[in-house]
Amino acid sequence: MPARQKKTIFCIAGVLSLACALGAGAAVGTQLWVKGTVLCRTGALLVNATGPELDKFIGKIHYGLFSGERVRQCGLGGRPFQFSFFPDLLKIIPVSIHVSVLLFCTVLVIFALVGAGFFMFNAFGSPYETLHGPVGLYLWSFITCCCGCLIMILFSSEVKIHHLSEKIANFKEGSFTFKTHSEQFANSFWVILVCSLVQLLNAMLIRFAGFEFPFSKPKDSGTATGAADLMY
């Protein structure tokens, strides 16, 4: 492939990797990871609410990796409550999983930036070490993609398996019990998925530029030469 086309491909991959780093970094600081509604079960049972009456007992909740907000609805109007994971919710959340999510988010941003730098270096410079060449580009893309997958798996388990939204909804509630009514992942969570897909696309771009995947077995030229010699 001509050098100009390779430079163009590396520039595109570098821009994508940089956008991935910026998007993931911005997503970490938002409260748009999970949004849903919570039902004030105690209040609904007290008045035996059914059908449209339940709307007066359904509040809202949304949160990210550091903080969030819930709107408490128990028949007397919405009452918003701001909370933060550190240090407010440390006693009720799976701390090891939550810290792991933050750690992998940090690694994702760092390696996406490193990958963007090396893509640009390979576009406008001349690679002189292994980690500056195609093997390094595959490495940065692979690590970033794995971090994105781990973030989604760990955070999904924290929300779904450990019932994070329900624990937050019942935080500092004495006589009232809340139950998750609906729950869905929001924009910031899907940004991490897009970042993982972008890194897979970068790997495809490296391959399209003419570089073999790491650890791929080269064709055995010796066997072919020997067979040709036997013919003559």
Side-chain angles (χ1 to χ4, degrees), residues 139-179:
L139 177 64
W140 312 131
S141 299
F142 176 76
I143 292 176
T144 308
C145 181
C146 288
C147 286
C149 294
L150 288 172
I151 290 168
M152 291 186 293
I153 293 171
L154 291 174
F155 189 73
S156 298
S157 66
E158 186 179 6
V159 173
K160 299 298 183 180
I161 298 177
H162 294 274
H163 307 288
L164 185 60
S165 299
E166 198 163 301
K167 290 181 178 179
I168 294 173
N170 289 283
F171 177 63
K172 288 186 177 181
E173 290 291 340
S175 57
F176 288 91
T177 302
F178 291 84
K179 184 179 180 180

Side-chain angles (χ1 to χ4, degrees), residues 26-232:
V28 170
T30 67
Q31 298 182 0
L32 298 176
W33 283 72
V34 175
K35 61 181 180 180
T37 58
V38 289
L39 172 66
C40 181
R41 188 175 182 180
T42 305
L45 289 175
L46 284 175
V47 299
N48 196 21
T50 57
E53 297 176 348
L54 283 176
D55 294 339
K56 298 180 180 180
F57 299 91
I58 296 178
K60 297 180 180 180
I61 186 172
H62 66 269
Y63 55 89
L65 299 180
F66 293 99
S67 61
E69 183 182 23
R70 76 182 189 198
V71 179
R72 186 175 182 270
Q73 286 270 19
C74 287
L76 298 175
R79 297 182 180 181
F81 175 75
Q82 298 281 343
F83 60 87
S84 73
F85 285 88
F86 305 99
D88 295 343
L89 304 178
L90 286 180
K91 294 182 179 180
I92 65 171
I93 66 172
V95 179
S96 58
I97 297 179
H98 200 78
V99 172
S100 298
V101 171
L102 293 174
L103 177 63
F104 283 118
C105 283
T106 304
V107 175
L108 185 150
V109 173
I110 292 174
F111 276 90
L113 288 173
V114 170
F118 279 116
F119 275 118
M120 292 302 179
F121 180 83
N122 279 269
F124 299 104
S126 55
Y128 57 88
E129 292 181 6
T130 301
L131 293 182
H132 288 181
V135 176
L137 298 179
Y138 283 121
L139 177 64
W140 312 131
S141 299
F142 176 76
I143 292 176
T144 308
C145 181
C146 288
C147 286
C149 294
L150 288 172
I151 290 168
M152 291 186 293
I153 293 171
L154 291 174
F155 189 73
S156 298
S157 66
E158 186 179 6
V159 173
K160 299 298 183 180
I161 298 177
H162 294 274
H163 307 288
L164 185 60
S165 299
E166 198 163 301
K167 290 181 178 179
I168 294 173
N170 289 283
F171 177 63
K172 288 186 177 181
E173 290 291 340
S175 57
F176 288 91
T177 302
F178 291 84
K179 184 179 180 180
T180 303
H181 187 261
S182 67
E183 186 179 59
Q184 59 183 348
F185 294 107
N187 297 340
S188 295
F189 179 85
W190 300 118
V191 167
I192 302 299
L193 174 61
V194 172
C195 289
S196 299
L197 296 177
V198 165
Q199 297 306 317
L200 288 177
L201 176 60
N202 282 348
M204 295 297 106
L205 289 176
I206 300 169
R207 180 65 186 89
F208 184 71
F211 296 110
E212 296 290 340
F213 288 111
F215 311 114
S216 60
K217 294 182 179 180
K219 294 181 180 179
D220 193 347
S221 58
T223 304
T225 305
D229 292 338
L230 289 175
M231 292 177 63
Y232 294 95

Side-chain angles (χ1 to χ4, degrees), residues 9-26:
I9 291 174
F10 284 139
C11 284
I12 294 173
V15 171
L16 290 175
S17 189
L18 179 61
C20 172
L22 296 177

